[in-house]
Amino acid sequence: DWKRHPYGPFDPTQGFAYIDRIGYRLPTALAEQLGAEQQQQQQATIESNRNNNNSNATKSTTKKKNKKPRALQRGLTPHLDCCPDTFDTTHGKSKWRPIQCFVALTNDVEANHGGFEAAPGFHRTFSQWQRPPTIVTGKKNGGTTTTTLPAPCLGEYTHIRPNEDAPVLAQIRHIPVPA
């Protein structure tokens, strides 16, 4: 069931590749250094604009905030690159991406050092998970009021929720990927 797709049969001896984006990760130390440099450049631009504005009527009285340095990149929270409600259809979609690829240019074999994490076996329970759970929202006159709580989709991105999706989060493991 999970192997089917809406485009019919295809010849597996023909190679096709559609690449719509390429992501990359920098080593943590380099990402932190570049992030600090970027923040310094942005702050210098703000100060320059403030100094170039000689009009007393438009001077800002905003206090400077001591911002914590931000790395150039941050980790993604657990997510799906699909919307469970529309996973089985191509209606209203410009592309269909059932397969993704991960290429490691450096060894990524230790947990908590970036790289790839997944919930092994989740494809077997996905169809059950994608059905929104029914929750009790109230009680009235001896009866109960219920509603469904679908996963929050933003385009083809679905955040895995810490409470509602705790069983999925518990399955997530670091997947060692040698270069």
Side-chain angles (χ1 to χ4, degrees), residues 14 31 41 47-48 51-52 55 69 74 129 145 152 156 164 179:
Q14 295 288 321
Q41 290 171 353
E47 291 297 323
S48 176
N51 292 337
N52 289 337
S55 169
R74 289 161 299 284
W129 173 84
T145 307
E156 289 299 307
E164 297 88 341

Side-chain angles (χ1 to χ4, degrees), residues 10-19:
F10 67 96
D11 182 354
T13 64
Q14 295 288 321
F16 297 98
Y18 170 78
I19 300 173

Side-chain angles (χ1 to χ4, degrees), residues 56-69:
N56 287 334
T58 59
K59 281 193 177 177
S60 173
T61 59
T62 306
K63 293 181 181 179
K64 265 192 200 178
K65 292 181 181 177
N66 291 329
K67 289 186 177 180
K68 179 181 174 188

Side-chain angles (χ1 to χ4, degrees), residues 26-104:
L26 299 173
T28 301
L30 179 58
E32 289 172 350
Q33 174 192 340
L34 292 173
E37 290 174 10
Q38 186 179 44
Q39 269 186 309
Q40 288 172 352
Q41 290 171 353
Q42 289 170 347
Q43 190 60 38
T45 300
I46 290 168
E47 291 297 323
S48 176
N49 289 342
R50 194 175 288 153
N51 292 337
N52 289 337
N53 184 357
N54 293 327
S55 169
N56 287 334
T58 59
K59 281 193 177 177
S60 173
T61 59
T62 306
K63 293 181 181 179
K64 265 192 200 178
K65 292 181 181 177
N66 291 329
K67 289 186 177 180
K68 179 181 174 188
R70 286 179 61 150
L72 183 64
Q73 64 194 10
R74 289 161 299 284
L76 287 173
T77 58
H79 68 280
L80 300 172
D81 287 328
C82 70
C83 182
D85 296 346
T86 61
F87 179 74
D88 289 338
T89 181
T90 58
H91 181 72
K93 294 181 184 179
S94 61
K95 55 190 159 194
W96 185 68
R97 300 180 304 209
I99 299 172
Q100 292 187 349
C101 177
F102 180 89
V103 177

Side-chain angles (χ1 to χ4, degrees), residues 2 119-127:
W2 60 272
F122 181 58
H123 64 284
R124 292 186 189 103
T125 59
F126 177 79
S127 61

